[in-house]
Amino acid sequence: MRHLRTFITIGIGMYALTALGWGQKGHDVTVYIAENHLTPTTYATITELLDGKSMVYWANWLDNASHTPEYAYSKTWHYKNIDDGYDYEEAPLHPNGDIVRAIYQQVNILQNPTSSKSDKQLALKILEHLMGDLHQPMHMGHASDLGGNRWTVNYFGRDSNLHSVWDSSLPESAHKWTYTEWNNQINRADPAEAALIIANGTPEKWGEETFEICKSVYTLTPEGTKISYDYVANWTPVIENQFLKGGLRLADILNSIFDPEYHPSNNFVRK
């Protein structure tokens, strides 16, 4: 029987500072796609909940908030580490929480009729960010290399690391679009495609799906890889698809919570 590996604690502080999800653009894109799929009832409820501000306004809030004393408890919520040699289901759980469990927590708060408005505001701001992180492959990366932060690569002639490349460099190289332009170009799934993306989904299933992509990223990007145009071309469709999936799934969750007339396409359940 494989001995249970423990989480590497050396450098965890550094990981907390660098383990951002998609860069700002990626989170804005994901959340804006979700906004475009909210029902009128859900949209009105969320607008009131956020005191008139849009969801996009808060899309990147958690990346900064997690580094403040008040919200430091959420640092480990941005990812779920799965070391090489582990299947998704058997990976050790971080004692301070992870992205999958945190998503369930926020959904439970939003679904609870006794939750205060301030608690729901916070839960919504956290949830919308984490749904972006859940679809960034390196957020299912190895604890041993801090989710790719210690996996050195060369990006168009400059030293970098795999996590940073996937957070911002790769999406920005794929398309120099604003988040509204991203939405206009990739948010084009027909009803059948959209239904397939959100059908029978749960955070565990979505996390495992992202983990499978992450394994391919590691395999196809050995340490020291010199990343150039061919790499960008190869992975751009994956990035586009992950943005779209995150947005459609976030919208489905929120519509299921806030609109009693909505007929959810998935079997998302509280946990």
Side-chain angles (χ1 to χ4, degrees), residues 176-196:
K176 292 294 185 182
W177 294 333
T178 65
Y179 71 83
T180 57
E181 290 171 330
W182 270 95
N183 173 72
N184 291 340
Q185 295 302 321
I186 71 172
N187 186 13
R188 299 185 176 203
D190 62 36
E193 291 176 296
L196 186 61

Side-chain angles (χ1 to χ4, degrees), residues 26-203:
H27 281 291
D28 288 349
V29 172
T30 299
V31 172
Y32 190 58
I33 289 173
E35 280 192 336
N36 278 272
H37 288 276
L38 299 179
T39 68
T41 297
T42 300
Y43 183 83
T45 301
I46 287 176
T47 300
E48 189 279 330
L49 186 60
L50 295 179
D51 295 326
K53 288 187 169 63
S54 73
M55 287 171 57
V56 174
Y57 181 92
W58 298 105
N60 290 276
W61 173 81
L62 190 63
D63 274 339
N64 292 320
S66 291
H67 303 309
T68 65
E70 184 177 3
Y71 302 106
Y73 61 83
S74 67
K75 285 181 179 179
T76 66
W77 290 7
H78 295 257
Y79 57 89
K80 178 181 173 70
N81 284 144
I82 305 171
D83 264 325
D84 190 28
Y86 278 104
D87 293 329
Y88 180 83
E89 296 84 359
E90 65 179 5
L93 297 177
H94 197 292
N96 295 328
D98 60 56
I99 189 168
V100 174
R101 287 178 286 167
I103 287 173
Y104 274 112
Q105 290 174 19
Q106 310 323 305
V107 170
N108 286 341
I109 292 170
L110 292 170
Q111 288 179 325
N112 189 341
T114 66
S115 297
S116 67
K117 179 178 179 178
S118 61
D119 285 343
K120 288 186 176 183
Q121 284 178 328
L122 178 59
L124 178 56
K125 289 187 282 187
I126 293 174
L127 175 64
E128 65 175 83
H129 185 87
L130 296 187
M131 283 298 291
D133 283 351
L134 186 67
H135 291 82
Q136 205 277 53
M138 299 316 300
H139 279 245
M140 295 290 163
H142 304 157
S144 57
D145 57 53
L146 306 182
N149 278 289
R150 289 182 172 174
W151 194 274
T152 58
V153 296
N154 185 280
Y155 195 79
F156 286 92
R158 64 176 176 82
D159 291 335
S160 186
N161 64 74
L162 194 55
H163 194 105
S164 178
V165 164
W166 273 84
D167 269 355
S168 297
S169 301
L170 196 52
E172 290 292 350
S173 293
H175 301 294
K176 292 294 185 182
W177 294 333
T178 65
Y179 71 83
T180 57
E181 290 171 330
W182 270 95
N183 173 72
N184 291 340
Q185 295 302 321
I186 71 172
N187 186 13
R188 299 185 176 203
D190 62 36
E193 291 176 296
L196 186 61
I197 287 172
I198 61 180
N200 301 315
T202 65

